[in-house]
Every structure is written in C-alpha cells, then in structure tokens.
Amino acid sequence: MKFIRIHWVVLAMAGAVLVAVALLVSNLIPSHEPDLARSKPSESKTYVVAVAPEIEPLHRGEIHSWLLTLTTPDGVPVERAAIAVDGGMPEHGHGLPTSPRMTEYLGSGRYRIEGVKFNMQGWWELRFAISAAPGDDRAVFNVVL
C-alpha cells in the first residue's frame, strides 16, 4: 500500500515538472506569428505609417513598388520626409536581395518605394527610417509570402 502511494506521488511530481518545463520553454521561444498590420504608429509614436504594395498579390522573385503613407498622430500628412528602406528575413538572418529606396513624393503624405524584392517564401521585414520636421523615427512591417 505504501509503495502504491509513493508511486502516485512520483508520477504527480514528474507531471508537475513536465508542465513547468513546458511553460518555461513556451515563454522562452518567441512567437512565430508576425504582426501583419499594414498601418501602425512608428516606434516612438511620432508618426502613423501605412504601407501597401502597388500591385497585389505579391510574387516571389519580382521587383515590387510600395506606397508608404506618413501622417502625424492627428492625421496631418507629413511633407518632405527622408525615408531610408532596409529589410530582410529575421528567421534566416539575411537582408533583402535588392536595395529599395524612396523614389518619389506623391503628395498628401504618400511616398513611392521602389526596388523591393523577396527572393524566397517566408517571413520578411520591411524597415523604414523616417526623418522629417516632427523628428526621426522608425517603423517595421512584416510581410509573409
């Protein structure tokens, strides 16, 4: 009888340890569900930034143009911004195969970004460094092909 109780205690302790390890591991491993929002506040909330490809659906291996819309948090279009573009695959540790850049201001806070290419399927980031009268800030958007 005493052996049976010890057996159940050991099994319960092993189960508790397994649950604790599972909870610990699930909190250490980052979620692989990227935020796919196409509009969001910039990192310091200086701007509201929205991006959209000019043509959808996106295809791997093709050069894409994107539109970036930039406003202040109260909705005023941001004029004369300098926008640097970068990106890559966070899970693979490499950048974009091209060097995209802002090529044209279209008015009303809209900017054309050209030269974006995704050469493989998966999770990509588009990173924008923004410099304008309200201040310098950054925005990162996720794209999954």
Side-chain angles (χ1 to χ4, degrees), residues 1-18:
M1 187 99 151
K2 190 175 186 180
F3 174 75
I4 292 174
R5 271 191 252 167
I6 292 173
H7 177 75
W8 284 110
V9 168
V10 169
L11 281 175
M13 289 176 62
V17 167
L18 285 174

Side-chain angles (χ1 to χ4, degrees), residues 55-137:
I55 298 174
E56 289 194 88
L58 294 172
H59 293 287
R60 179 175 42 98
E62 294 180 3
I63 302 288
H64 306 133
S65 294
W66 289 66
L67 295 179
L68 182 142
T69 303
L70 191 60
T71 65
T72 60
D74 57 354
V76 176
V78 176
E79 310 273 334
R80 295 185 293 277
I83 301 169
V85 186
D86 191 12
M89 292 191 88
E91 292 182 318
H92 290 225
H94 64 76
L96 291 166
T98 56
S99 298
R101 61 189 184 90
M102 190 271 289
T103 58
E104 184 178 6
Y105 178 61
L106 302 170
S108 301
R110 296 176 309 124
Y111 298 82
R112 178 169 283 123
I113 309 297
E114 294 186 291
V116 178
K117 180 179 179 181
F118 306 114
N119 60 332
M120 58 192 310
Q121 288 184 302
W123 172 16
W124 291 87
E125 286 181 342
L126 286 176
R127 296 184 288 268
F128 300 96
I130 303 158
S131 182
D136 294 344
D137 209 343

